[in-house]
Amino acid sequence: MVAKHKPARRERTRGKIPKLIIVTGGVLSGLGKGVTTASIGNILKARGFRVNTQKFDQYLNVDAGTLNPGEHGEVFVTDDGAETDLDLGHYERFLDQSLTKDCSVMTGQIYLEVTQAEREGKYLGKTVQMIPHVTDAVKRRMWAAARRSHAEIHLVEVGGTVGDYEGAHFLEAVRQLAADDGKENVLYVHVAFLPYLAASDEIKTKPAQNSVRDLRAIGIQPDVIIARADHPISKSQLEKLSLYANVDVASVIPVPTVGSMYEVPLHMEAHGLDRIIAQKLGLGFRPRNDRIWHRLVATIKRRKPPVRIAMVGKYLNMKDTYMSLIEALKAAAWAHGRSLDLWWVDAEQIESGKFPVEELQHAAGIAVPGGFGVRGTEGKIRAIRFAREKKIPYLGLCFGMQLMVIETARHLARLPHATSEEFAPAEKKRDPVIHLMGEQKKTLLKGGTMRLGAWPCALKEKSLARKLYGERRISERHRHRYEFNNAYRAKLERAGLAVSGTTPDGQLVEIVERPDHPFFLGVQFHPEFQSRPTRPHPLFLGFLKAAISSRKTASRGR
Ligand code: GLN
């Protein structure tokens, strides 16, 4: 393991190696470090810099694929098929650029690499240690991502908070960067939370001070502090934090909780953070071009009539599970001059009858998102049937498409026992209209064994999908194990379910729709991953348009 990770000074002077921005967090988790990192990337990109972002995650998992979405939130998928933390979704949306598997590093990957190298004898008899072997592996991954991206500025978000036992190797690795590479090439940004104390009606800076102290104790002096708070922060508090943290006051940037996360970049710009960073990293002045983002935020803030979309799902206590989907729906609603009124419907309550399915007539559109396992599926199928029969616009995403196929099979193709092999192993009396493909059946491993990442899809002439995309050939991201069973294709088509998108070889069914319905469409992939706030996805635009023209947008009134 002697691969070099340090850039040669010569490369640096030729501008080939990016400057680094390291984002750490303090006080508590969930304070929006991902959005902060994404926003810094956004304002630098608006200044014309080529930017790349990378996330270091502390978990011992090798990737996010095996994490329970109900606990950890959405598993975001890149074009090259990495199953990553949802922060990568923020990065892609704020930067309007697609990232790669390099951009997500989990501790499990690092340990796996180091342990495998040890087994292969690559350490030549040396004791294998946290420093330098693990930290070097971290730095190698960082430089590999930075070089491959051809960015001028490479941002790294270190997951967790300073002082976490599990984050020590990442913090030590990023600390070394300044020594390796010259302080002028590395900028440390620390995001800290300032709690509000109701008893004395004030914001407290002490926990943030302490987190900076912890950071300095491990050898990192922050250059910029992002002071997060739910309440306005006074000038004197910023000064206090500046003094204790040893950071000039102009570089202590207050970011109070704002209405929409998309406002954060503009807030940072208003405090001159783009200029401060460019100066501190010795990057030349470039004019700012952020008109698109200003227009987006103006649209978001404008009062707009709502459009109500029912989301029939399972992990409802953890809305982060559907992060990209919600953002895709919002972006499409905004583009149509509406605000999204998202109505969460628990599929299990439909199943148990606690929530009468007829209630869904109050929705302008119904969506069934991706999901796993049998729990709640009968409720979802009932919702899909209702959408079909009442001609309510319906969009099925991955699992939502598979259940749409099952619904048609059961109710229109005389296959009352139609199911997915995910719920029931293939038996004679059942019809697995959704199944595992032959070669997949042998796989027992759970991690990284799904159909993942971007796949090309050919669209059928004159179909709704073709009309919406306006293209013959598209590429969309996948994350699923089961597939449409071609043995039932003819039967399902006779039942009115048109296959409007397949892999170019025609083998895998990717999109189904009903021509006799205003909008009844299901996709085997996850279009939400490619939707951007400034460039909403055509399928979501089409779905929202159909929902709006179904004119059931009156507010909930219950
Ligand atoms: N559980 C389904 C499958 O594995 C759908 C997955 C999903 O919705 N992402 O095929």
Side-chain angles (χ1 to χ4, degrees):
M1 297 306 277
V2 284
K4 84 172 193 214
H5 49 75
K6 247 203 263 187
R9 201 155 289 275
R10 199 157 33 86
E11 284 181 293
R12 162 77 68 204
T13 49
R14 285 195 197 149
K16 277 195 181 156
I17 296 293
K19 300 269 183 174
L20 304 173
I21 298 180
I22 311 296
V23 182
T24 56
V27 182
L28 43 83
S29 62
L31 45 68
K33 201 149 36 75
V35 170
T36 300
T37 308
S39 299
I40 295 174
N42 175 292
I43 59 175
L44 293 171
K45 196 167 174 185
R47 286 267 183 193
F49 294 106
R50 291 192 312 276
V51 177
N52 187 44
T53 41
Q54 185 178 35
K55 171 96 193 264
F56 288 170
D57 261 305
Q58 302 180 340
Y59 309 111
L60 284 173
N61 302 65
V62 171
D63 58 40
T66 52
L67 293 173
N68 175 356
E71 246 172 64
H72 182 73
E74 171 181 271
V75 177
F76 189 79
V77 180
T78 56
D79 275 334
D80 59 356
E83 299 174 278
T84 76
D85 184 85
L86 59 77
D87 279 324
L88 262 80
H90 289 315
Y91 305 162
E92 287 206 356
R93 286 186 287 274
F94 278 71
L95 293 177
D96 191 12
Q97 87 195 25
S98 297
L99 301 175
T100 60
K101 61 172 177 298
D102 289 346
C103 301
S104 174
V105 175
M106 281 197 184
T107 298
Q109 280 162 29
I110 304 281
Y111 282 7
L112 198 62
E113 176 188 320
V114 172
T115 317
Q116 265 165 4
E118 187 274 336
R119 290 291 81 187
E120 289 163 19
K122 290 198 175 153
Y123 293 108
L124 308 173
K126 287 207 163 56
T127 50
V128 182
Q129 295 181 302
M130 214 60 173
I131 306 171
H133 302 108
V134 171
T135 47
D136 277 357
V138 172
K139 287 195 287 183
R140 262 197 307 277
R141 279 180 189 258
M142 195 213 66
W143 283 121
R147 278 176 209 269
R148 275 202 278 266
S149 72
H150 302 290
E152 294 164 284
I153 304 175
H154 181 71
L155 283 112
V156 178
E157 176 190 347
V158 182
T161 46
V162 171
D164 288 350
Y165 190 66
E166 298 129 316
H169 55 300
F170 285 135
L171 288 168
E172 171 55 19
V174 299
R175 178 199 70 77
Q176 293 171 13
L177 293 171
D180 287 352
D181 200 37
K183 183 63 199 81
E184 68 284 6
N185 296 317
V186 187
L187 185 92
Y188 294 99
V189 176
H190 187 60
V191 189
F193 187 68
L194 276 52
Y196 169 77
L197 203 60
S200 53
D201 185 25
E202 61 175 347
I203 294 260
K204 306 299 282 183
T205 62
K206 181 74 85 193
Q209 290 171 32
N210 288 349
S211 79
V212 174
R213 190 193 55 203
D214 290 346
L215 198 59
R216 288 167 69 182
I218 53 175
I220 298 174
Q221 165 63 50
D223 301 289
V224 169
I225 294 197
I226 304 291
R228 282 278 299 113
D230 289 336
H231 293 260
I233 309 168
S234 71
K235 192 160 171 280
S236 69
Q237 271 144 338
L238 293 177
E239 285 166 354
K240 195 166 169 189
L241 198 51
S242 149
L243 180 68
Y244 281 92
N246 201 18
V247 173
D248 58 294
V249 70
S251 304
V252 182
I253 311 289
V255 177
T257 302
V258 281
S260 158
M261 62 178 149
Y262 298 117
E263 291 174 42
V264 174
L266 299 185
H267 194 86
M268 289 175 167
E269 274 184 355
H271 284 85
L273 184 60
D274 46 348
R275 194 179 28 78
I276 292 169
I277 291 178
Q279 252 166 19
K280 290 197 176 191
L281 283 174
L283 296 161
F285 174 83
R286 293 191 197 171
R288 192 188 272 166
N289 181 2
D290 57 0
R291 273 212 306 280
I292 295 176
W293 210 264
H294 272 279
R295 214 178 305 139
L296 169 71
V297 172
T299 309
I300 294 172
K301 286 177 140 177
R302 199 177 310 132
R303 267 184 77 86
K304 301 172 285 305
V307 52
R308 194 200 300 170
I309 302 297
M311 177 100 98
V312 184
K314 191 161 71 166
Y315 308 106
L316 300 187
N317 51 354
M318 177 66 168
K319 306 257 157 59
D320 277 2
T321 307
Y322 304 116
M323 180 70 80
S324 295
L325 180 49
I326 297 170
E327 294 310 313
L329 288 167
K330 276 189 196 162
W334 295 332
H336 289 303
R338 300 291 175 128
S339 71
L340 178 71
D341 173 7
L342 198 53
W343 182 17
W344 297 90
V345 177
D346 184 344
E348 284 181 281
Q349 293 209 354
I350 299 183
E351 207 165 292
S352 68
K354 222 166 162 186
F355 180 98
V357 76
E358 296 74 31
E359 276 287 300
L360 288 175
Q361 65 181 308
H362 300 295
I366 298 172
V368 171
F372 292 84
V374 72
R375 191 161 61 83
T377 49
E378 292 305 319
K380 291 179 193 175
I381 290 171
R382 247 182 261 171
I384 296 168
R385 179 180 198 170
F386 188 76
R388 178 175 58 76
E389 291 178 346
K390 301 292 174 203
K391 302 254 189 279
I392 300 172
Y394 170 78
L395 180 62
L397 300 141
C398 204
F399 203 42
M401 174 267 202
Q402 297 177 350
L403 296 177
M404 184 176 154
V405 172
I406 296 174
E407 193 279 324
T408 297
R410 285 189 191 170
H411 305 127
L412 299 173
R414 282 193 235 125
L415 298 168
H417 301 294
T419 189
S420 163
E421 281 182 5
E422 182 171 2
F423 318 141
E427 304 166 12
K428 278 210 194 82
K429 63 179 175 29
R430 294 192 178 261
D431 288 292
V433 290
I434 302 295
H435 72 150
L436 275 185
M437 307 271 287
E439 67 271 27
Q440 287 177 301
K441 289 192 173 154
K442 294 177 219 133
T443 315
L444 290 172
L445 288 175
K446 283 278 187 229
T449 55
M450 289 191 254
R451 178 144 79 101
L452 288 168
W455 280 67
C457 170
L459 303 177
K460 197 169 125 197
E461 287 301 323
K462 300 209 175 72
S463 63
L464 175 61
R466 172 81 174 77
K467 197 174 117 217
L468 293 174
Y469 278 101
E471 282 169 74
R472 226 173 260 156
R473 181 75 90 91
I474 53 155
S475 166
E476 291 281 5
R477 299 183 196 172
H478 290 247
R479 180 172 186 261
H480 54 99
R481 216 165 253 125
Y482 298 85
E483 303 282 352
F484 183 106
N485 186 345
N486 282 325
Y488 294 90
R489 191 147 150 188
K491 206 163 195 175
L492 288 161
E493 290 203 284
R494 278 198 298 279
L497 196 70
V499 171
S500 55
T502 61
T503 43
D505 63 3
Q507 284 310 301
L508 300 174
V509 171
E510 309 284 43
I511 311 178
V512 292
E513 59 185 71
R514 282 203 82 83
D516 62 357
H517 190 287
F519 193 108
F520 195 72
L521 186 136
V523 292
Q524 184 58 86
F525 44 80
H526 289 274
E528 65 270 27
F529 292 144
Q530 292 202 89
S531 174
R532 308 272 160 83
T534 46
R535 231 154 26 92
H537 191 286
L539 288 185
F540 288 93
L541 283 173
F543 174 53
L544 264 289
K545 188 167 174 218
I548 290 162
S549 49
S550 78
R551 277 182 285 137
K552 287 174 188 158
T553 49
S555 60
R556 209 165 298 170
R558 287 178 316 134

